[in-house]
Amino acid sequence: MSKIHVTTTVNGDPVEFLADPRETLLDALRDRLGLTGSKEGCGTGDCGACSVLLDGRLVSSCLVLGVEAEGKRVDTIEGLAEADGTLHPLQRKFLEHAALQCGFCTPGILVASKALLAKNPDPTEEEVRYWLAGNLCRCTGYDKIVRAVIDAAAEMRGAA
Amino acid sequence: MRYHTPQTFEDAARIAAGAAGVTRFLAGGTDVLVQMRSGLVLPDDMIDLKHIPGVRDIARTADGGWRIGVAVSGAELGEHAALKADWPGVVEAMELIGSTQVQGRATLTGNLCNGSPAADSVPGLVAAGAMVTVTGPSGSRDVAVETIPAGPGKTALAPGELISAITLPPRGAHGGDAYLRFIPRTEMDIAVVGCAVNLVLDGDQIASARVALGAVAPTVILVPEAAAAITGTALDAAALEALAGAASAAARPISDKRGTADFRTEVAGVLARRVAEIAYARAKGHAK
Ligand SMILES: Cc1cc2nc3c(=O)[nH]c(=O)nc-3n(C[C@H](O)[C@H](O)[C@H](O)COP(=O)(O)OP(=O)(O)OC[C@H]3O[C@@H](n4cnc5c(N)ncnc54)[C@H](O)[C@@H]3O)c2cc1C
Ligand code: FES
Ligand code: FES
C-alpha cells in the first residue's frame, strides 16, 4: 500500500508526514509525529480521549484519516500550555481541583473544554456536562472535572 | 486503499463506477471509520467528497427552501439560525447524533446513506418532504429522500451513484416540525424508536401532515395513515388517540437488546402523540 505525503499545521507549526491511507489522524499524531498526548481509549468515537481541533472544530482524531489533515490546522493537547511551559488556566484548575486520577481521559477533556469555553465563556453546569458527554472518565466520577471547567471559565472571564 | 479527492460529483461517480473492489464515500467518516476499525468494511477505494466546492454550504433555494451540502456537519447545521427557525425538527434530530466530537464531523447524507433503520436524522427529513439529488456517471436526478433507504445497511443507490445535495422544501406559513427518540439514557445512545411529524395549519386545523417512524421496520417509514388520522383536526384528544393507534399499527419492529417488539410498538404511538403536539405548538408559533 503506497503511502501519501501529507502537509499540515499542528499547534501552529508546519509539519509533514507519510501516511498509510487507512491510518487515522490519531495514529499519525502519535506514531509519525511523536505527539502522544492524544490517547486512544476506544478507537471508535465513543470516549473522546483522542479529541483534537481540526480547523478549529472539536473532533475525535480516531475518526479522521491522517490524509484528511492535508492543508488543515490541527490543535492538540501539546499546544495548550504556553511555549515556556506556563500552564493554561484549564490545566491549572484541573490540578487545583484534583480533576484527574489516572489521567488517561484528561488530554481529551482539556481539549474539549477549551473548545467549549471558546464558544461559550460562561457555561452552566448542564452545558458543561452535555458538551463533555462524549468524554468518558473511568476514575473521577466527573464532578471535579465539571467544577474545574466552571472555575477556569470564571478565571478566564475575569482575566479578559 | 486508494484515497481519492475528486473536485466534482461527476468525477466522484466515475471513480466509484470504475472501482472493482469495496468502495466508500467519505463525508464525516463517523460510520465509515468505525466500520474500518472493526474490520467490517475494508475499502479498496475511499472517495473523499469534502474537496468538492460547495459541499459545506447551506443555501436558500430560489423557491425559499434550503439546499444542504453533503459535507455540512451536525454542528454547522445547528449553528445555522435561519435553517433552524424553518426546520427545527430536522435540525434537532441531527443534533441528537453522538457527542460534540461526532457533531463536528457527522453529516445528514452520511446518516442517510449508512442505511441504519434507527438513523436519527432520517425520519425528520422524510417528514419534511426532503429531496435528494442523485448523481451518477450519466447525470443527476432528484428523488424523494424516503426512496433511498432499502434495508439495514442498504440504499437504493446503484453502484457509481452518490448523493450530491439534500433539498428541504420552502417552510411556508403556519408550519412546524419536530423529532423525538426514545433512548434509555439522556444522550449518546441509539434510538429504540424515533418519530418525526411535520404539519401545516389552516387556522387551528391541520391542513396537511407527514409522519415518519424510525427503528420500527427495516427502514425508516413514512406513515400516511398516521398523517390521515390528524389531518382536518385541531389535534384534539380523539385525533391524538387515532394518531397513536395508526403509528403503533404501522410499526413492524424486531425485538433486540434495546427493546422488545411489543415495547417498540407501544412507544411508537406514545412518541407520535408527543411529537405531533410539539410540531403543532411550533406551527402555532407557541414553542421553540
Ligand atoms: C460515538 C458515535 C455516536 C453515534 N450516535 C449516533 C446517533 O445517536 N444516531 C445516529 O443516527 N447515528 C449515530 N452515529 C452514527 C453516525 O455518526 C451517523 O450515522 C452520521 O450521520 C454518519 O455521517 P458521516 O458523515 O460521518 O458518514 P460517513 O461515515 O462519512 O459515511 C457513512 C456512509 O454513507 C456513505 N456516504 C456518505 N456520503 C455519501 C454520499 N454523498 N452519497 C452516497 N453515499 C454516501 C458512505 O459510503 C458510508 O457508507 C454515531 C456514531 C458514533 C461514532
Ligand atoms: S479513541 Fe477516539 S473517541 Fe475513543
Ligand atoms: S482520570 Fe482516569 S479515566 Fe479519567
Side-chain angles (χ1 to χ4, degrees):
Chain A
M1 212 177 306
S2 65
K3 289 196 166 47
I4 297 180
H5 180 246
V6 178
T7 308
T8 183
T9 304
V10 178
N11 301 324
D13 298 329
V15 298
E16 299 174 53
F17 58 89
L18 285 176
D20 176 312
R22 275 191 194 156
E23 165 177 316
T24 65
L25 175 60
L26 176 61
D27 286 342
L29 289 170
R30 291 179 57 85
D31 303 340
R32 310 266 177 216
L33 300 173
L35 296 173
T36 55
S38 307
K39 306 298 181 197
E40 179 168 304
C42 66
T44 50
D46 294 291
C47 78
C50 64
S51 296
V52 302
L53 303 185
L54 187 64
D55 278 351
R57 189 66 81 174
L58 183 67
V59 302
S60 289
S61 61
C62 72
L63 294 187
V64 179
L65 293 177
V67 290
E68 288 185 79
E70 172 68 38
K72 304 229 175 264
R73 204 175 75 244
V74 183
D75 291 291
T76 72
I77 184 63
E78 283 86 354
L80 192 61
E82 286 172 39
D84 66 0
T86 308
L87 295 182
H88 186 277
L90 276 164
Q91 290 170 306
R92 252 190 305 104
K93 291 298 177 188
F94 268 58
L95 290 172
E96 270 176 37
H97 286 265
L100 65 157
Q101 290 179 33
C102 80
F104 200 79
C105 68
T106 313
I109 292 184
L110 286 169
V111 169
S113 301
K114 188 187 170 198
L116 168 64
L117 299 188
K119 197 179 150 89
N120 179 358
D122 190 9
T124 63
E125 176 181 342
E126 191 182 5
E127 286 168 341
V128 174
R129 287 185 185 273
Y130 266 101
W131 184 272
L132 295 179
N135 288 88
L136 304 185
C137 175
R138 300 292 77 181
C139 305
T140 65
Y142 302 102
D143 250 34
K144 294 174 171 184
I145 293 174
V146 174
R147 268 182 261 154
V149 173
I150 289 172
D151 197 9
E155 182 186 300
M156 287 164 68
R157 283 197 309 279
Chain B
M1 183 179 89
R2 286 167 296 271
Y3 172 70
H4 308 271
T5 55
Q7 300 288 322
T8 66
F9 284 106
E10 290 71 19
D11 281 348
R14 266 192 290 276
I15 296 165
V22 178
T23 306
R24 285 293 181 275
F25 297 105
L26 182 61
T30 61
D31 280 315
V32 172
L33 266 80
V34 173
Q35 291 156 8
M36 282 167 65
R37 168 74 184 217
S38 70
L40 202 67
V41 177
L42 292 173
D44 301 301
D45 290 276
M46 178 75 88
I47 307 171
D48 191 343
L49 304 175
K50 294 189 292 297
H51 293 250
I52 301 173
V55 291
R56 302 281 292 271
D57 295 350
I58 301 172
R60 275 264 187 218
T61 57
D63 63 357
W66 293 97
R67 192 179 161 85
I68 303 169
V70 297
V72 171
S73 68
E76 288 163 341
L77 213 60
E79 288 163 7
H80 200 290
L83 174 66
K84 204 170 176 170
D86 271 8
W87 293 103
V90 170
V91 176
E92 74 191 344
M94 187 65 206
E95 287 189 295
L96 285 174
I97 292 179
S99 56
T100 318
Q101 287 85 345
V102 170
Q103 282 288 310
R105 296 261 294 168
T107 66
L108 284 170
T109 314
N111 195 225
L112 173 67
C113 294
N114 188 55
S116 166
D120 278 305
S121 76
V122 179
L125 291 172
V126 170
M131 302 288 289
V132 296
T133 307
V134 176
T135 300
S138 51
S140 292
R141 63 181 196 280
D142 286 348
V143 301
V145 69
E146 59 267 27
T147 63
I148 299 296
K154 292 202 176 65
T155 69
L157 298 171
E161 284 187 337
L162 74 160
I163 290 176
S164 49
I166 294 185
T167 311
L168 291 170
R171 169 67 284 182
H174 315 300
D177 74 325
Y179 175 78
L180 286 177
R181 66 176 179 181
F182 176 84
I183 56 171
R185 309 177 64 210
T186 53
E187 78 287 313
M188 292 288 283
D189 208 342
I190 296 173
V192 178
V193 180
C195 179
V197 174
N198 171 32
L199 47 80
V200 176
L201 300 182
D202 179 6
D204 287 343
Q205 296 231 320
I206 297 173
S208 65
R210 283 169 71 90
V211 179
L213 290 171
V216 295
T219 66
V220 169
I221 50 172
L222 181 66
V223 188
E225 310 85 82
I230 55 173
T231 304
T233 77
L235 210 63
D236 50 40
L240 284 168
E241 200 54 43
L243 167 67
S248 289
R252 294 172 274 125
I254 56 166
S255 293
D256 66 9
K257 63 182 175 187
R258 298 182 185 283
T260 62
D262 282 352
F263 178 72
R264 284 190 157 104
T265 302
E266 163 113 27
V267 171
V270 174
L271 281 187
R273 305 171 70 117
R274 290 184 190 168
V275 180
E277 288 185 298
I278 299 169
Y280 189 88
R282 285 177 176 164
K284 280 264 171 202
H286 290 162
K288 279 206 290 171

